[in-house]
Amino acid sequence: MGTSQRFGSTAVEAAEAVLVEQYPHLVRLAYLTLPDGLGRHARVLRAHRAVQRGLPRARAGDEPGRPGGAPPGPGAPPGPGGPLGEVRARVLRAALAPGGRPGTALARWGWPPAPPFVWGLRLWPPAGGIDETARLLGGVPAAVRAAFVLHRLDGLAEAGTVRVLAAAGVADPAESVRLALALPVGETLLRTTEFDACVVNTRPTDLLRRRRRVRVGWAAAAVLALVAGVAVADGAPPGPDVRPAAGAVAAGALDPDRLVRIPAAAWSDTARVDFTAWPARGARAGDRALLARALGAWASRSAQVPVSAAPGTPTDPPGRPPQLLYAGDVEGRAVVLLLDADRVVRYGEAAGGPRERALDFARTDEAGVTTAGALVVSRAGGRVRYLLAPWIATAATLDLLRPADAGQPLAVAADGVTAAAAVPGASGACAGWPVLALTSSTRIVEKHSFVLADLGALSPVHLTYTPLPDGPNAVPARQPREATGPAARAAWAPLACGLRELRGGAVRAVNVWDFAASELPEGGGRAVWSCTRASGWAGPGDVLVRLRPPAGPAQDVARARSTAACGRFGQHLLVGTRWRTAAGHWYELAAGSREVAAITATGAVRAEAAGRSLTAPAGPEGAPVTLTARLASGARITALDGAGGGRD
């Protein structure tokens, strides 16, 4: 059904009533269907735009509100499921279209749509609401996300969901519904009142500047004055006290005297243990000139100040006074750390004045006791110094390659800055993999030890481990643990050097999940199947599945990028590989996660096995093998896509 179809006035009025009544649910549908790579601000606006454009158009000659409007005739069939089905289909077409609106030149040519714009405000969903679900659904195809919302959240029957998806132009709606049914989701959480797509947080971007400059009838003149001010600020040489008077930010947000400063003891008496509980520390926390230069460099966006940012991290100036975390001299440089909502900014310059300046940005979404445990305050000569959270009681370094390494204590100064610590090299031989081992104070939570790894970004990466579901360390559900115990250290040792591939700042946590164990053929011993998931800040993650035999190197089985597999929304897993025994015989091996009840192989290998593992003589090398599994619930899954080393 094309977007140009016209409806009678009665049908349009019915669709309008449905749209108004179901508006929050339609926005939720659009928001979770839109590409997960969009920023939250743009995703919120595009979701509302898709819904507001979901009203069908009236036929020429029909006047909305005039009695006697005819319903759609044979030339205009009703949408799937009446007015609500038609509106849903139109909303989905807009959310799935590459150009943001079906039928436009942008959509036909695959160009990105013009970004939505709201004057003076930034919007984002509150923590724990729809944004959390969008993050957890990251990596799932858009059509599957749409099917999930329609069936699992809106309660539409499977057949009705298929019809709506088909009307929206989805190529294989039945397959999308099948994949949505296989997603393990905590529906109780999603149905809470918090899960309201229309509830958003807002903050001003340039409120004070507009109040100061915008006068009645002179908005254009104010814009010209602002552009001139920005040009002057960018071209002027840095002085000892650069005042950030120009740019797209309110001057009050860049006033050093208005920086948010948390009291030193506040962290020990708060229910929110994250970066917002960090006090202002450092010997230069009262240096107004240094703070002004840091804020001015952030606002001016001068080409003289290099900027680096973790993928997906905005670098725009703050819309309100940021929180001061640290200001001091470290390794011959003056360093300022600032927190602005869900990002941390590090400004650095030569200790003697405003030379060799630089800005670094990192995301801090949903940080907690562990992920807000440390920040890199200095990096020089292949070593780093960390600024630790105020709730950290002890710090040490240990070698992740050596499970028996007890670690070396790491000295921490009174302002929270550690001594210089070794970090893994970005290239060359991997003879060791030093990581940071921290233990929290009992003043806020029960004593908690965890491991962070430096991957070259401002924020170190949290390492965790999930044991076998039926082993001695089994947990009642697939729940990551800290990578501190003997089993975790043993699982991480052969994988540590692979962390080098994740450098670049897009990763917030890495978990090793031992999801299955099976006996190798011909008495080869017990092997463990593990999935290593690197979770990004935006939700999707990259995974590597490996088979660890009792002796010898691990074998790569499968890789996948930007996927939900091995995460909270990808707890059902099936993989397979070819395995060569010591006698030179080849076998097809397969294994599944906790809920797998039976595995079937077709193609070059034809075999079935009850339970969570399969072993069968292998077919010809390179011949395709298709693996499927039946879950305890009766649903079926296929093997993880992504070629590994095991079949070559």
Side-chain angles (χ1 to χ4, degrees), residues 252-272:
L254 302 177
D255 183 353
D257 296 330
R258 299 184 63 184
L259 288 172
V260 176
R261 298 170 184 261
I262 303 301
W267 63 270
S268 62
D269 187 25
T270 179
R272 182 176 178 180

Side-chain angles (χ1 to χ4, degrees), residues 272-276 278 339 341-342 344 363-373 391 459 508 537:
R272 182 176 178 180
V273 185
D274 57 15
F275 287 110
T276 62
W278 280 34
L339 175 68
D342 54 4
V344 166
R363 293 180 65 165
T364 61
D365 311 45
E366 302 170 12
V369 173
T370 55
T371 47
W391 54 82
S459 176
R508 70 191 302 263
W537 292 101

Side-chain angles (χ1 to χ4, degrees), residues 246-426:
V249 185
L254 302 177
D255 183 353
D257 296 330
R258 299 184 63 184
L259 288 172
V260 176
R261 298 170 184 261
I262 303 301
W267 63 270
S268 62
D269 187 25
T270 179
R272 182 176 178 180
V273 185
D274 57 15
F275 287 110
T276 62
W278 280 34
R281 291 176 286 176
R284 301 185 68 175
D287 189 337
R288 190 181 189 283
L290 171 63
L291 300 178
R293 288 196 297 272
L295 293 167
W298 186 359
S300 67
R301 313 292 291 276
S302 170
Q304 300 175 6
V305 182
V307 176
S308 69
T313 308
T315 60
D316 55 306
R320 56 186 175 186
Q323 177 183 335
L324 176 63
L325 303 180
Y326 179 84
D329 292 336
V330 184
E331 300 282 4
R333 288 182 63 79
V335 178
V336 178
L337 284 170
L338 301 166
L339 175 68
D340 178 50
D342 54 4
R343 57 181 175 166
V344 166
V345 185
R346 182 181 64 196
Y347 169 80
E349 66 178 29
R355 294 174 290 106
E356 302 174 5
R357 299 184 295 166
L359 282 169
D360 301 282
F361 294 80
R363 293 180 65 165
T364 61
D365 311 45
E366 302 170 12
V369 173
T370 55
T371 47
L375 290 171
V376 174
V377 72
S378 170
R379 188 184 301 277
R383 302 175 74 83
V384 301
R385 292 180 186 266
Y386 297 97
L387 178 65
L388 301 183
W391 54 82
I392 298 301
T394 61
T397 59
L398 54 84
D399 189 348
L400 202 59
L401 287 182
R402 294 166 176 80
D405 181 19
Q408 296 293 324
L410 185 64
V412 183
D415 61 359
V417 177
T418 70
V423 293

Side-chain angles (χ1 to χ4, degrees), residues 49-89:
R49 181 172 65 183
V51 175
Q52 292 177 18
R53 290 178 173 176
L55 189 66
R57 301 179 183 179
R59 288 196 302 262
D62 285 334
E63 300 177 7
R66 186 180 65 184
L84 178 56
E86 170 62 27
V87 171
R88 280 170 168 163

Side-chain angles (χ1 to χ4, degrees), residues 82-97:
L84 178 56
E86 170 62 27
V87 171
R88 280 170 168 163
R90 293 177 65 89
V91 169
L92 282 179
R93 278 198 293 270
L96 292 168

